[in-house]
Amino acid sequence: PDRLVMFGGRCVWIELKAPNRRCEADPHQAREHRRMREHGGCDIRVLNTVDDVSSFLLELKCNTNRETTSGR
C-alpha cells in the first residue's frame, strides 16, 4: 500500500490508484493485500478518485464520533 492512515484508534492501509485507470490493485499488490489481511487482520482500501478519498475520510470521522459518543 501507498499510505498508512492512523486516526481515531484505527490503522488503515491505503492503495491509491490514478483516476481513469484500473480500479483495482495489480496482481502482485492484491496478493500482498491478501497476505496482510490473513496474517494481521489489516484493513486495506484501494481508492481511485477524490470522491473515494472523501468518502473514506467521512467514514473514519463518523466511526470515530460514534465510538466517542458510545463511551469508548
Side-chain angles (χ1 to χ4, degrees):
D2 300 309
R3 301 283 187 266
L4 172 60
V5 176
M6 297 186 293
F7 184 83
R10 292 181 62 192
C11 294
V12 183
W13 293 95
I14 304 295
E15 183 77 43
L16 297 169
K17 294 296 179 187
N20 304 322
R21 297 185 80 196
R22 292 177 33 157
C23 301
E24 61 227 19
D26 293 329
H28 71 281
Q29 292 170 319
R31 182 187 66 241
E32 291 307 313
H33 296 176
R34 186 173 53 256
R35 287 180 183 172
M36 291 172 73
R37 287 183 184 109
E38 289 171 357
H39 294 290
C42 295
D43 187 356
I44 303 167
R45 311 290 180 94
V46 179
L47 306 177
N48 295 75
T49 65
V50 172
D51 287 339
D52 289 346
V53 173
S54 295
S55 295
F56 168 71
L57 293 174
L58 183 61
E59 175 190 335
L60 280 182
K61 182 180 178 197
C62 289
N63 287 339
T64 300
N65 289 340
R66 191 175 315 129
E67 291 173 4
T68 302
T69 58
S70 67
R72 285 188 173 174

